[in-house]
Amino acid sequence: MDLDLRKVRYFVAVAELLHFGRAAEQLHIAQPVLSRQIRALEKDLGAELFVRDSHGVTLTSAGRQLLDDARHLLASADAARRRVRRAARGPGRFVVGFRAGVVVTRALRDFGAAHPDVDVHARRVMGAPPARA
């Protein structure tokens, strides 16, 4: 069984708000669609995630466990998406032009440490105006 991340996002919205209507509004989908997706997720997992009654919605123990796991899962998926996009773009490049007497070494080293995915270079500018160089 594959876990559908869209359904997991829907689940997290309902679990955090404990209200199907408000979660549907936040997700910009119709409430019946959200309810069907949550039921489908419960079927996929073989566990009831919410107790629904006239007093509202509460999480079951399975729902509490999924909420804890889902936050990590979604964060991991988002991080993977960002890393793949960054890899597809290739390394970023940051070039600093400087004139004689201006020390940029430490600033470039600090920037490079904070942004390891960026290729950092210093270029001494001589003769031409710095903006043009």
Side-chain angles (χ1 to χ4, degrees):
M1 182 239 1
D2 291 329
L3 201 54
D4 183 340
L5 292 179
R6 180 178 42 86
K7 290 177 188 172
V8 172
R9 281 188 187 86
Y10 290 176
F11 163 77
V12 169
V14 175
E16 288 178 343
L17 295 171
L18 293 175
H19 195 279
F20 276 82
R22 285 193 290 270
E25 283 180 32
Q26 179 182 319
L27 294 165
H28 305 289
I29 62 173
Q31 188 271 324
V33 172
L34 177 59
S35 294
R36 281 193 299 274
Q37 293 298 313
I38 296 299
R39 286 281 185 210
L41 179 61
E42 289 175 322
K43 184 179 177 190
D44 291 346
L45 295 172
E48 191 172 322
L49 302 171
F50 296 101
V51 175
R52 302 155 177 92
D53 61 26
S54 59
H55 300 292
V57 178
T58 57
L59 286 166
T60 63
S61 59
R64 285 189 297 277
Q65 182 61 58
L66 180 58
L67 181 58
D68 185 47
D69 291 340
R71 288 175 174 144
H72 299 291
L73 177 65
L74 294 174
S76 221
D78 288 341
R81 188 178 306 111
R82 283 191 307 274
R83 287 190 302 272
V84 167
R85 286 181 182 155
R86 190 177 314 128
R89 283 193 314 264
R93 185 176 165 121
F94 184 62
V95 179
V96 174
F98 68 96
R99 288 192 179 265
V102 177
V103 179
V104 297
T105 310
R106 182 171 183 163
L108 291 178
R109 185 176 45 245
D110 291 347
F111 182 88
H115 304 279
D117 56 324
V118 177
D119 191 20
V120 180
H121 293 283
R123 182 171 168 193
R124 186 171 178 189
V125 178
M126 298 184 341
R132 189 169 149 239

Short mmCIF file of all heavy atoms in Angstrom, two decimals, residues 8-65:
data_model
loop_
_atom_site.label_atom_id
_atom_site.label_comp_id
_atom_site.label_asym_id
_atom_site.label_seq_id
_atom_site.Cartn_x
_atom_site.Cartn_y
_atom_site.Cartn_z
N VAL A 8 -2.75 12.54 3.20
CA VAL A 8 -2.09 12.81 4.49
C VAL A 8 -2.18 14.29 4.81
O VAL A 8 -2.45 14.68 5.96
CB VAL A 8 -0.62 12.31 4.48
CG1 VAL A 8 0.11 12.75 5.73
CG2 VAL A 8 -0.58 10.79 4.33
N ARG A 9 -1.98 15.16 3.82
CA ARG A 9 -2.13 16.61 4.04
C ARG A 9 -3.56 16.95 4.47
O ARG A 9 -3.77 17.76 5.35
CB ARG A 9 -1.76 17.39 2.78
CG ARG A 9 -0.29 17.55 2.57
CD ARG A 9 0.04 18.50 1.42
NE ARG A 9 1.46 18.48 1.18
CZ ARG A 9 2.09 17.61 0.40
NH1 ARG A 9 1.42 16.69 -0.24
NH2 ARG A 9 3.39 17.66 0.26
N TYR A 10 -4.52 16.33 3.82
CA TYR A 10 -5.92 16.53 4.19
C TYR A 10 -6.15 16.10 5.64
O TYR A 10 -6.81 16.79 6.41
CB TYR A 10 -6.85 15.75 3.26
CG TYR A 10 -6.94 16.26 1.84
CD1 TYR A 10 -7.70 15.58 0.90
CD2 TYR A 10 -6.29 17.42 1.41
CE1 TYR A 10 -7.82 16.02 -0.41
CE2 TYR A 10 -6.39 17.87 0.11
CZ TYR A 10 -7.16 17.17 -0.80
OH TYR A 10 -7.27 17.61 -2.09
N PHE A 11 -5.61 14.93 5.97
CA PHE A 11 -5.77 14.42 7.34
C PHE A 11 -5.20 15.42 8.35
O PHE A 11 -5.83 15.72 9.36
CB PHE A 11 -5.08 13.06 7.49
CG PHE A 11 -4.85 12.69 8.92
CD1 PHE A 11 -5.90 12.21 9.70
CD2 PHE A 11 -3.61 12.86 9.50
CE1 PHE A 11 -5.69 11.91 11.05
CE2 PHE A 11 -3.40 12.56 10.84
CZ PHE A 11 -4.45 12.09 11.61
N VAL A 12 -4.01 15.93 8.10
CA VAL A 12 -3.36 16.86 9.03
C VAL A 12 -4.22 18.11 9.21
O VAL A 12 -4.38 18.60 10.33
CB VAL A 12 -1.93 17.21 8.57
CG1 VAL A 12 -1.35 18.37 9.37
CG2 VAL A 12 -1.02 15.99 8.68
N ALA A 13 -4.79 18.61 8.14
CA ALA A 13 -5.64 19.80 8.26
C ALA A 13 -6.83 19.53 9.17
O ALA A 13 -7.14 20.33 10.07
CB ALA A 13 -6.12 20.24 6.88
N VAL A 14 -7.50 18.39 8.99
CA VAL A 14 -8.64 18.06 9.84
C VAL A 14 -8.18 17.81 11.27
O VAL A 14 -8.79 18.29 12.23
CB VAL A 14 -9.41 16.83 9.30
CG1 VAL A 14 -10.53 16.43 10.26
CG2 VAL A 14 -9.97 17.12 7.92
N ALA A 15 -7.07 17.10 11.43
CA ALA A 15 -6.58 16.77 12.77
C ALA A 15 -6.17 18.00 13.55
O ALA A 15 -6.37 18.07 14.76
CB ALA A 15 -5.40 15.80 12.66
N GLU A 16 -5.61 18.98 12.88
CA GLU A 16 -5.18 20.20 13.58
C GLU A 16 -6.36 21.11 13.91
O GLU A 16 -6.36 21.76 14.95
CB GLU A 16 -4.13 20.94 12.75
CG GLU A 16 -2.79 20.21 12.74
CD GLU A 16 -1.73 20.90 11.90
OE1 GLU A 16 -2.07 21.76 11.06
OE2 GLU A 16 -0.55 20.54 12.07
N LEU A 17 -7.36 21.14 13.04
CA LEU A 17 -8.52 22.01 13.26
C LEU A 17 -9.66 21.30 13.99
O LEU A 17 -10.53 21.95 14.55
CB LEU A 17 -9.03 22.55 11.93
CG LEU A 17 -8.07 23.47 11.17
CD1 LEU A 17 -8.59 23.77 9.78
CD2 LEU A 17 -7.83 24.75 11.95
N LEU A 18 -9.64 19.97 13.93
CA LEU A 18 -10.72 19.14 14.48
C LEU A 18 -12.09 19.60 14.00
O LEU A 18 -13.06 19.65 14.74
CB LEU A 18 -10.65 19.10 16.02
CG LEU A 18 -9.43 18.37 16.58
CD1 LEU A 18 -9.40 18.48 18.09
CD2 LEU A 18 -9.42 16.91 16.13
N HIS A 19 -12.11 19.93 12.70
CA HIS A 19 -13.36 20.39 12.08
C HIS A 19 -13.25 20.19 10.57
O HIS A 19 -12.37 20.77 9.93
CB HIS A 19 -13.58 21.87 12.41
CG HIS A 19 -14.96 22.34 12.14
ND1 HIS A 19 -15.40 22.68 10.88
CD2 HIS A 19 -16.01 22.53 12.97
CE1 HIS A 19 -16.65 23.07 10.95
NE2 HIS A 19 -17.05 22.98 12.21
N PHE A 20 -14.14 19.37 10.01
CA PHE A 20 -14.08 19.07 8.58
C PHE A 20 -14.38 20.30 7.74
O PHE A 20 -13.73 20.54 6.72
CB PHE A 20 -15.04 17.93 8.24
CG PHE A 20 -14.46 16.57 8.49
CD1 PHE A 20 -14.47 16.02 9.76
CD2 PHE A 20 -13.91 15.83 7.45
CE1 PHE A 20 -13.94 14.76 9.99
CE2 PHE A 20 -13.38 14.57 7.67
CZ PHE A 20 -13.39 14.03 8.95
N GLY A 21 -15.37 21.09 8.14
CA GLY A 21 -15.74 22.27 7.35
C GLY A 21 -14.63 23.29 7.27
O GLY A 21 -14.30 23.79 6.18
N ARG A 22 -14.03 23.62 8.41
CA ARG A 22 -12.94 24.61 8.41
C ARG A 22 -11.71 24.07 7.67
O ARG A 22 -11.02 24.82 6.97
CB ARG A 22 -12.59 25.02 9.83
CG ARG A 22 -13.62 25.96 10.44
CD ARG A 22 -13.12 26.61 11.72
NE ARG A 22 -13.00 25.68 12.84
CZ ARG A 22 -13.97 25.41 13.71
NH1 ARG A 22 -15.15 26.01 13.59
NH2 ARG A 22 -13.78 24.57 14.69
N ALA A 23 -11.44 22.78 7.82
CA ALA A 23 -10.31 22.18 7.11
C ALA A 23 -10.55 22.25 5.59
O ALA A 23 -9.63 22.57 4.83
CB ALA A 23 -10.10 20.74 7.55
N ALA A 24 -11.77 21.97 5.17
CA ALA A 24 -12.09 22.03 3.74
C ALA A 24 -11.89 23.45 3.21
O ALA A 24 -11.34 23.64 2.12
CB ALA A 24 -13.52 21.56 3.51
N GLU A 25 -12.33 24.44 3.99
CA GLU A 25 -12.12 25.84 3.58
C GLU A 25 -10.63 26.15 3.44
O GLU A 25 -10.20 26.77 2.47
CB GLU A 25 -12.73 26.79 4.60
CG GLU A 25 -14.22 26.92 4.52
CD GLU A 25 -14.77 27.88 5.57
OE1 GLU A 25 -14.06 28.86 5.91
OE2 GLU A 25 -15.89 27.64 6.04
N GLN A 26 -9.86 25.74 4.43
CA GLN A 26 -8.41 25.99 4.41
C GLN A 26 -7.75 25.32 3.22
O GLN A 26 -6.82 25.87 2.63
CB GLN A 26 -7.80 25.47 5.71
CG GLN A 26 -6.30 25.64 5.81
CD GLN A 26 -5.74 25.06 7.09
OE1 GLN A 26 -6.33 25.20 8.15
NE2 GLN A 26 -4.62 24.39 6.99
N LEU A 27 -8.23 24.14 2.85
CA LEU A 27 -7.65 23.38 1.73
C LEU A 27 -8.24 23.79 0.38
O LEU A 27 -7.78 23.31 -0.65
CB LEU A 27 -7.88 21.89 1.96
CG LEU A 27 -7.16 21.27 3.15
CD1 LEU A 27 -7.75 19.91 3.49
CD2 LEU A 27 -5.67 21.19 2.89
N HIS A 28 -9.27 24.64 0.41
CA HIS A 28 -9.94 25.09 -0.81
C HIS A 28 -10.56 23.92 -1.58
O HIS A 28 -10.43 23.84 -2.81
CB HIS A 28 -8.98 25.89 -1.72
CG HIS A 28 -8.34 27.03 -1.03
ND1 HIS A 28 -9.03 28.17 -0.67
CD2 HIS A 28 -7.07 27.22 -0.59
CE1 HIS A 28 -8.21 29.00 -0.05
NE2 HIS A 28 -7.02 28.45 0.01
N ILE A 29 -11.21 23.03 -0.83
CA ILE A 29 -11.94 21.93 -1.45
C ILE A 29 -13.32 21.84 -0.78
O ILE A 29 -13.53 22.40 0.29
CB ILE A 29 -11.20 20.58 -1.35
CG1 ILE A 29 -11.01 20.16 0.12
CG2 ILE A 29 -9.88 20.62 -2.08
CD1 ILE A 29 -10.45 18.76 0.28
N ALA A 30 -14.22 21.11 -1.40
CA ALA A 30 -15.55 20.93 -0.83
C ALA A 30 -15.48 19.94 0.34
O ALA A 30 -14.71 18.98 0.30
CB ALA A 30 -16.50 20.40 -1.90
N GLN A 31 -16.28 20.19 1.35
CA GLN A 31 -16.27 19.35 2.54
C GLN A 31 -16.61 17.89 2.24
O GLN A 31 -15.94 16.99 2.76
CB GLN A 31 -17.20 19.94 3.60
CG GLN A 31 -17.12 19.27 4.95
CD GLN A 31 -18.07 18.09 5.07
OE1 GLN A 31 -19.17 18.13 4.54
NE2 GLN A 31 -17.64 17.05 5.74
N PRO A 32 -17.58 17.59 1.36
CA PRO A 32 -17.84 16.18 1.05
C PRO A 32 -16.64 15.47 0.42
O PRO A 32 -16.38 14.29 0.68
CB PRO A 32 -19.03 16.22 0.09
CG PRO A 32 -19.72 17.51 0.40
CD PRO A 32 -18.61 18.46 0.76
N VAL A 33 -15.90 16.19 -0.41
CA VAL A 33 -14.69 15.63 -1.02
C VAL A 33 -13.67 15.31 0.06
O VAL A 33 -13.06 14.23 0.07
CB VAL A 33 -14.09 16.60 -2.06
CG1 VAL A 33 -12.73 16.11 -2.56
CG2 VAL A 33 -15.06 16.81 -3.21
N LEU A 34 -13.50 16.23 0.99
CA LEU A 34 -12.56 16.01 2.10
C LEU A 34 -12.98 14.79 2.92
O LEU A 34 -12.14 13.94 3.24
CB LEU A 34 -12.48 17.25 2.98
CG LEU A 34 -11.60 17.15 4.22
CD1 LEU A 34 -10.16 16.83 3.84
CD2 LEU A 34 -11.66 18.45 5.01
N SER A 35 -14.24 14.69 3.24
CA SER A 35 -14.73 13.55 4.02
C SER A 35 -14.46 12.23 3.30
O SER A 35 -14.02 11.26 3.91
CB SER A 35 -16.23 13.68 4.29
OG SER A 35 -16.46 14.79 5.13
N ARG A 36 -14.71 12.20 1.98
CA ARG A 36 -14.44 10.98 1.20
C ARG A 36 -12.96 10.63 1.21
O ARG A 36 -12.59 9.46 1.31
CB ARG A 36 -14.94 11.14 -0.24
CG ARG A 36 -16.44 10.95 -0.39
CD ARG A 36 -16.85 10.80 -1.85
NE ARG A 36 -16.52 11.96 -2.67
CZ ARG A 36 -17.30 13.03 -2.81
NH1 ARG A 36 -18.44 13.12 -2.15
NH2 ARG A 36 -16.93 14.02 -3.58
N GLN A 37 -12.10 11.65 1.10
CA GLN A 37 -10.66 11.39 1.08
C GLN A 37 -10.18 10.84 2.43
O GLN A 37 -9.33 9.95 2.49
CB GLN A 37 -9.89 12.66 0.71
CG GLN A 37 -10.11 13.11 -0.71
CD GLN A 37 -9.64 12.08 -1.72
OE1 GLN A 37 -8.55 11.54 -1.62
NE2 GLN A 37 -10.49 11.78 -2.69
N ILE A 38 -10.74 11.37 3.52
CA ILE A 38 -10.37 10.88 4.85
C ILE A 38 -10.86 9.45 5.02
O ILE A 38 -10.12 8.59 5.54
CB ILE A 38 -10.92 11.81 5.96
CG1 ILE A 38 -10.29 13.20 5.87
CG2 ILE A 38 -10.72 11.19 7.34
CD1 ILE A 38 -8.78 13.24 6.04
N ARG A 39 -12.07 9.15 4.58
CA ARG A 39 -12.59 7.77 4.65
C ARG A 39 -11.70 6.84 3.83
O ARG A 39 -11.41 5.72 4.25
CB ARG A 39 -14.03 7.71 4.14
CG ARG A 39 -15.04 8.28 5.07
CD ARG A 39 -15.36 7.31 6.17
NE ARG A 39 -16.44 7.87 6.98
CZ ARG A 39 -16.60 7.62 8.25
NH1 ARG A 39 -15.77 6.81 8.87
NH2 ARG A 39 -17.58 8.16 8.91
N ALA A 40 -11.27 7.29 2.66
CA ALA A 40 -10.40 6.47 1.81
C ALA A 40 -9.06 6.22 2.51
O ALA A 40 -8.52 5.11 2.46
CB ALA A 40 -10.18 7.14 0.45
N LEU A 41 -8.52 7.24 3.18
CA LEU A 41 -7.27 7.08 3.92
C LEU A 41 -7.45 6.08 5.05
O LEU A 41 -6.59 5.22 5.27
CB LEU A 41 -6.79 8.43 4.45
CG LEU A 41 -5.51 8.41 5.28
CD1 LEU A 41 -4.32 7.90 4.46
CD2 LEU A 41 -5.21 9.81 5.82
N GLU A 42 -8.56 6.19 5.77
CA GLU A 42 -8.84 5.25 6.85
C GLU A 42 -8.92 3.82 6.30
O GLU A 42 -8.38 2.89 6.91
CB GLU A 42 -10.15 5.62 7.57
CG GLU A 42 -10.01 6.88 8.40
CD GLU A 42 -11.31 7.34 9.03
OE1 GLU A 42 -12.38 7.23 8.37
OE2 GLU A 42 -11.26 7.82 10.18
N LYS A 43 -9.54 3.68 5.13
CA LYS A 43 -9.63 2.35 4.51
C LYS A 43 -8.24 1.85 4.12
O LYS A 43 -7.90 0.69 4.35
CB LYS A 43 -10.55 2.40 3.29
CG LYS A 43 -10.77 1.05 2.66
CD LYS A 43 -11.71 1.15 1.47
CE LYS A 43 -11.83 -0.22 0.83
NZ LYS A 43 -12.53 -0.15 -0.45
N ASP A 44 -7.43 2.74 3.51
CA ASP A 44 -6.06 2.37 3.12
C ASP A 44 -5.25 1.89 4.31
O ASP A 44 -4.47 0.94 4.22
CB ASP A 44 -5.33 3.57 2.49
CG ASP A 44 -5.87 3.98 1.13
OD1 ASP A 44 -6.64 3.20 0.53
OD2 ASP A 44 -5.53 5.10 0.69
N LEU A 45 -5.41 2.57 5.45
CA LEU A 45 -4.63 2.26 6.64
C LEU A 45 -5.25 1.15 7.49
O LEU A 45 -4.59 0.60 8.36
CB LEU A 45 -4.45 3.52 7.49
CG LEU A 45 -3.63 4.64 6.87
CD1 LEU A 45 -3.69 5.90 7.72
CD2 LEU A 45 -2.19 4.19 6.66
N GLY A 46 -6.51 0.89 7.25
CA GLY A 46 -7.20 -0.12 8.05
C GLY A 46 -7.40 0.32 9.48
O GLY A 46 -7.36 -0.50 10.41
N ALA A 47 -7.61 1.63 9.67
CA ALA A 47 -7.78 2.17 11.02
C ALA A 47 -8.67 3.39 10.98
O ALA A 47 -8.58 4.21 10.06
CB ALA A 47 -6.42 2.54 11.62
N GLU A 48 -9.52 3.53 11.97
CA GLU A 48 -10.33 4.73 12.12
C GLU A 48 -9.44 5.81 12.73
O GLU A 48 -8.76 5.59 13.73
CB GLU A 48 -11.53 4.45 13.03
CG GLU A 48 -12.54 5.55 13.02
CD GLU A 48 -13.82 5.18 13.77
OE1 GLU A 48 -14.24 4.01 13.69
OE2 GLU A 48 -14.36 6.07 14.45
N LEU A 49 -9.44 6.98 12.13
CA LEU A 49 -8.55 8.06 12.56
C LEU A 49 -9.27 9.10 13.41
O LEU A 49 -8.64 9.78 14.21
CB LEU A 49 -7.93 8.74 11.34
CG LEU A 49 -7.12 7.79 10.43
CD1 LEU A 49 -6.73 8.52 9.14
CD2 LEU A 49 -5.91 7.25 11.16
N PHE A 50 -10.58 9.21 13.22
CA PHE A 50 -11.38 10.21 13.93
C PHE A 50 -12.61 9.56 14.55
O PHE A 50 -13.17 8.62 13.99
CB PHE A 50 -11.86 11.32 12.99
CG PHE A 50 -10.77 12.14 12.38
CD1 PHE A 50 -10.36 11.90 11.07
CD2 PHE A 50 -10.14 13.14 13.10
CE1 PHE A 50 -9.35 12.65 10.50
CE2 PHE A 50 -9.13 13.90 12.54
CZ PHE A 50 -8.74 13.66 11.24
N VAL A 51 -13.02 10.10 15.67
CA VAL A 51 -14.33 9.79 16.24
C VAL A 51 -15.21 10.98 15.87
O VAL A 51 -14.89 12.11 16.21
CB VAL A 51 -14.28 9.63 17.77
CG1 VAL A 51 -15.67 9.44 18.34
CG2 VAL A 51 -13.36 8.48 18.16
N ARG A 52 -16.27 10.69 15.12
CA ARG A 52 -17.18 11.74 14.68
C ARG A 52 -18.49 11.56 15.45
O ARG A 52 -19.08 10.49 15.41
CB ARG A 52 -17.44 11.61 13.18
CG ARG A 52 -16.19 11.67 12.32
CD ARG A 52 -16.45 10.92 11.00
NE ARG A 52 -15.36 10.97 10.07
CZ ARG A 52 -14.39 10.06 9.99
NH1 ARG A 52 -14.36 9.05 10.82
NH2 ARG A 52 -13.44 10.17 9.09
N ASP A 53 -18.91 12.59 16.13
CA ASP A 53 -20.20 12.53 16.82
C ASP A 53 -20.83 13.91 16.84
O ASP A 53 -20.29 14.86 16.27
CB ASP A 53 -20.07 11.94 18.23
CG ASP A 53 -19.17 12.75 19.16
OD1 ASP A 53 -19.03 13.97 18.95
OD2 ASP A 53 -18.61 12.17 20.10
N SER A 54 -21.95 14.05 17.51
CA SER A 54 -22.67 15.32 17.52
C SER A 54 -21.90 16.42 18.24
O SER A 54 -22.19 17.60 18.08
CB SER A 54 -24.04 15.15 18.17
OG SER A 54 -23.88 14.68 19.49
N HIS A 55 -20.88 16.05 19.03
CA HIS A 55 -20.08 17.04 19.76
C HIS A 55 -18.87 17.52 18.93
O HIS A 55 -18.16 18.42 19.35
CB HIS A 55 -19.58 16.46 21.08
CG HIS A 55 -20.71 16.05 21.99
ND1 HIS A 55 -21.56 16.96 22.57
CD2 HIS A 55 -21.13 14.83 22.38
CE1 HIS A 55 -22.45 16.32 23.30
NE2 HIS A 55 -22.21 15.01 23.20
N GLY A 56 -18.63 16.89 17.81
CA GLY A 56 -17.51 17.30 16.97
C GLY A 56 -16.64 16.13 16.56
O GLY A 56 -17.11 14.99 16.44
N VAL A 57 -15.39 16.42 16.35
CA VAL A 57 -14.43 15.45 15.85
C VAL A 57 -13.28 15.35 16.84
O VAL A 57 -12.77 16.38 17.30
CB VAL A 57 -13.88 15.90 14.47
CG1 VAL A 57 -12.84 14.94 13.95
CG2 VAL A 57 -15.01 16.07 13.47
N THR A 58 -12.86 14.14 17.17
CA THR A 58 -11.68 13.93 18.00
C THR A 58 -10.82 12.87 17.34
O THR A 58 -11.31 12.05 16.55
CB THR A 58 -12.04 13.50 19.44
OG1 THR A 58 -12.83 12.31 19.36
CG2 THR A 58 -12.79 14.58 20.18
N LEU A 59 -9.55 12.88 17.66
CA LEU A 59 -8.62 11.89 17.12
C LEU A 59 -8.70 10.60 17.92
O LEU A 59 -8.81 10.63 19.15
CB LEU A 59 -7.18 12.42 17.18
CG LEU A 59 -6.82 13.49 16.17
CD1 LEU A 59 -5.51 14.15 16.56
CD2 LEU A 59 -6.72 12.90 14.78
N THR A 60 -8.60 9.49 17.23
CA THR A 60 -8.44 8.20 17.90
C THR A 60 -6.97 8.04 18.23
O THR A 60 -6.13 8.88 17.83
CB THR A 60 -8.87 7.05 16.97
OG1 THR A 60 -7.99 7.03 15.84
CG2 THR A 60 -10.32 7.19 16.53
N SER A 61 -6.60 6.98 18.91
CA SER A 61 -5.18 6.76 19.19
C SER A 61 -4.41 6.56 17.88
O SER A 61 -3.27 7.02 17.74
CB SER A 61 -4.98 5.58 20.15
OG SER A 61 -5.51 4.41 19.60
N ALA A 62 -5.04 5.89 16.90
CA ALA A 62 -4.41 5.73 15.59
C ALA A 62 -4.25 7.10 14.91
O ALA A 62 -3.22 7.36 14.27
CB ALA A 62 -5.23 4.79 14.71
N GLY A 63 -5.24 7.95 15.07
CA GLY A 63 -5.17 9.29 14.50
C GLY A 63 -4.07 10.12 15.12
O GLY A 63 -3.35 10.85 14.43
N ARG A 64 -3.92 10.01 16.44
CA ARG A 64 -2.83 10.75 17.12
C ARG A 64 -1.48 10.26 16.63
O ARG A 64 -0.56 11.06 16.39
CB ARG A 64 -2.96 10.62 18.64
CG ARG A 64 -4.07 11.46 19.23
CD ARG A 64 -4.04 11.48 20.76
NE ARG A 64 -4.25 10.17 21.35
CZ ARG A 64 -5.43 9.60 21.57
NH1 ARG A 64 -6.54 10.24 21.23
NH2 ARG A 64 -5.51 8.40 22.12
N GLN A 65 -1.35 8.96 16.45
CA GLN A 65 -0.07 8.41 15.95
C GLN A 65 0.20 8.88 14.54
O GLN A 65 1.31 9.29 14.21
CB GLN A 65 -0.10 6.87 15.99
CG GLN A 65 1.20 6.25 15.52
CD GLN A 65 2.37 6.65 16.39
OE1 GLN A 65 2.37 6.42 17.58
NE2 GLN A 65 3.39 7.26 15.79
#
